[in-house]
């Protein structure tokens, strides 16, 4: 039995889409286990780009089936347009895409509450969410109300569930100055979507178990990243789901004994989109350079991403909470030609210097930065470590030494091909 997890080790957007697509070459099943359309996973094949928000990043590889598991929250309109976009690229989803009937439905008032709350929040308390209704939908789930995808099979029952949830949200909507949408309008909108989605519904935990029993290779794809995890992230500036590797067991209904490896994805620098602490953030021309060379604009919202130096204590933290046994280091090419290069190796906190990521003192901790050697040669054509300039190689070795985790993959460009694979995911 072989299930592996691919998880973001920073604040999301580490290149999960690219690496999942790459590894799907040798996978039979690719499973998204958490989050919803707040994710934006970019796949670039032969220069052509596709951004998926809900559908697993393995979808462009005909050899693999794709599963959206019950840890997800699903906006049915987004799902149907995404299926259409994938099909329009000549890539069939028929018989290849399965959706958990237990995943929760994002309903029109969820994004509405999300947006109104963000607009009403005082400075310093705004989360900078993607406004896609993620928080309110998971709130419904935790409150044990709301509707699940399986409820799309019975529109009468669905109307009852939506009515109960809408009733619970109405005072909040009104207090925020919003108008609750009508139940009839919601059901009318959902009716044609239900016809498209119900044929895809399945007990996905059982489906994954069957695949594992047949000896198939299963890749569990995370969304967001470790530092956005509801329990282990920089709370409260986090998302509402279990993004870490352990979330794969909960979200996909796969027991921990089935997971063979966990691969963490990290950019060669850091980015964050939305509010919240980001100790190694760079202002000024260096930060701007990372943003423009790295194309650091949100794939979902288009917001400019905040940029900063690589945070090694944060990576050690991610290695711990996810149990990483491999790292894919992405976007190393973006560091080419940086006039100056630094990494964070430790933190100064009121209680002294620490090599740990100071998750509880993050607002006051000061990163200890060390300079590292720069390089100026383009590296996007490199396909082996020996083709990298010595300083770039040393940078990769520094990550290995500081985290104690081997770097299995070095990504040197957005395209599927622009990759140095040192160890296959399923090896
Ligand atoms: P995800 O959310 O983790 O899947 O990451 P996103 O797709 O949101 O953001 C990563 C961005 O970096 C996308 O635009 C990718 O096409 C791009 N990308 C991924 N790997 C590399 C790389 O090694 N080099 C460069 N230059 N771009 C990359
Ligand atoms: P992928 O899968 C980067 C951030 C938002 C905000 C916080 C909460 O593409 O890496 P939410 O809408 O989830 O309630 O927002 O989480 N966020 C992401 N940042 N990449 C993502 O996904 C993200 N999904 C959520 O910007 O700070
Ligand atoms: Mg993204």
């Amino acid at each position: 039995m072989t299930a592996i997890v691919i998880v973001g080790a920073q604040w999301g957007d580490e290149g999960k889409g690219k690496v999942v697509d790459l590894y799907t070459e040798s996978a039979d099943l690719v499973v998204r286990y958490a989050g919803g359309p707040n994710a934006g996973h970019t796949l670039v094949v032969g220069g052509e780009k596709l951004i998926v928000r809900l559908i697993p990043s393995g979808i462009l590889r005909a050899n693999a089936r794709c599963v959206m598991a019950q840890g997800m929250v699903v906006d049915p309109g987004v799902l149907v347009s995404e299926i259409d976009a994938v099909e329009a690229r000549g890539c069939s989803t028929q018989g290849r895409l399965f959706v958990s009937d237990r995943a929760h439905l994002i309903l029109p008032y969820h994004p509405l509450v999300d947006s109104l709350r963000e607009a009403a929040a005082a400075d310093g308390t705004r989360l900078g969410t993607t406004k896609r209704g993620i928080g309110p939908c998971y709130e419904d789930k935790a409150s044990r109300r709301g509707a699940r995808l399986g409820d799309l099979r019975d529109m009468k029952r669905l109307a009852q569930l939506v009515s109960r949830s809408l009733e619970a949200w109405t005072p909040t909507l009104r207090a925020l100055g919003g108008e609750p949408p009508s139940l009839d309008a919601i059901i009318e909108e959902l009716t044609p979507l239900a016809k498209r989605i119900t044929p895809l519904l399945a007990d996905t935990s059982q489906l994954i178990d069957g695949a594992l029993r047949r000896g198939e290779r299963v890749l569990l794809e995370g969304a967001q990243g470790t530092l956005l995890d509801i329990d282990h992230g920089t709370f409260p500036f986090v998302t509402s789901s279990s993004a870490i590797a352990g979330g794969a067991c909960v979200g996909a209904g796969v027991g921990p004994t089935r997971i063979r490896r966990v691969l963490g994805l990290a950019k060669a620098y850091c980015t964050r989109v939305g509010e919240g602490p980001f100790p190694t953030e760079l202002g000024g021309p260096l930060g701007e350079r990372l943003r423009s060379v790295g194309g650091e604009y949100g794939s979902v919202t288009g917001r400019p991403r905040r940029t900063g130096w690589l945070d090694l204590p944060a990576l050690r933290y991610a290695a711990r909470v996810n149990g990483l046994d491999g790292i894919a280091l992405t976007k190393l090419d973006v560091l080419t030609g940086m006039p100056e290069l630094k990494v964070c190796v430790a933190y100064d906190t009121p209680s002294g210097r620490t090599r740990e990521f100071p998750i509880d003192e993050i607002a006051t901790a000061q990163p200890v930065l060390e300079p590292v050697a720069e390089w100026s040669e383009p590296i996007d054509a490199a396909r082996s470590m020996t083709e990298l300039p010595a300083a770039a190689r040393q940078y990769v070795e520094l990550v290995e030494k500081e985290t104690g985790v081997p770097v299995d993959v070095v990504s040197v460009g957005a395209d599927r091909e622009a990759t140095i694979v040192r160890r296959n995911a399923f090896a």
Side-chain angles (χ1 to χ4, degrees), residues 12-14 16 38-42 299-300 305:
D13 302 328
E14 299 92 345
K16 296 176 290 294
N38 47 349
H41 297 177
T42 312
S299 13
V300 173
R305 294 178 183 146

Side-chain angles (χ1 to χ4, degrees), residues 312-361:
L312 291 165
L315 258 189
R316 283 195 283 272
Y317 177 79
R320 166 158 60 87
V321 301
N322 293 296
L324 299 186
D325 42 23
I327 287 176
L329 192 68
T330 62
K331 304 192 93 158
L332 190 64
D333 55 302
V334 176
L335 298 184
T336 293
M338 280 290 277
E340 180 186 350
L341 212 48
K342 287 184 181 161
V343 293
C344 168
V345 291
Y347 275 92
D348 280 330
T349 72
S351 38
R353 184 162 288 191
T354 173
R355 275 168 52 83
E356 298 290 322
F357 185 63
I359 190 104
D360 297 316
E361 296 173 293

Side-chain angles (χ1 to χ4, degrees), residues 10-11 269-270 279-280 309-316 344 347 357:
Q10 296 162 327
W11 280 284
Y269 49 97
C270 282
T280 64
W309 299 126
L310 181 65
D311 188 330
L312 291 165
L315 258 189
R316 283 195 283 272
C344 168
Y347 275 92
F357 185 63

Side-chain angles (χ1 to χ4, degrees), residues 55 78-88 91 93 97 196-197 200:
I55 297 180
V78 174
L79 176 57
V80 166
S81 34
E82 209 162 273
I83 291 170
D84 290 343
V86 168
E87 296 271 346
C91 176
T93 59
L97 178 65
R196 294 281 309 273
I197 293 172
L200 310 175

Side-chain angles (χ1 to χ4, degrees), residues 75-81 83-84 105-106 149 152 155 186-200:
D75 183 322
V78 174
L79 176 57
V80 166
S81 34
I83 291 170
D84 290 343
L105 261 180
I106 298 181
L149 270 90
L152 290 171
M155 294 311 275
I186 295 173
I187 298 300
E188 196 180 315
E189 195 184 317
L190 286 174
T191 303
L193 297 171
K195 290 203 172 69
R196 294 281 309 273
I197 293 172
T198 46
L200 310 175

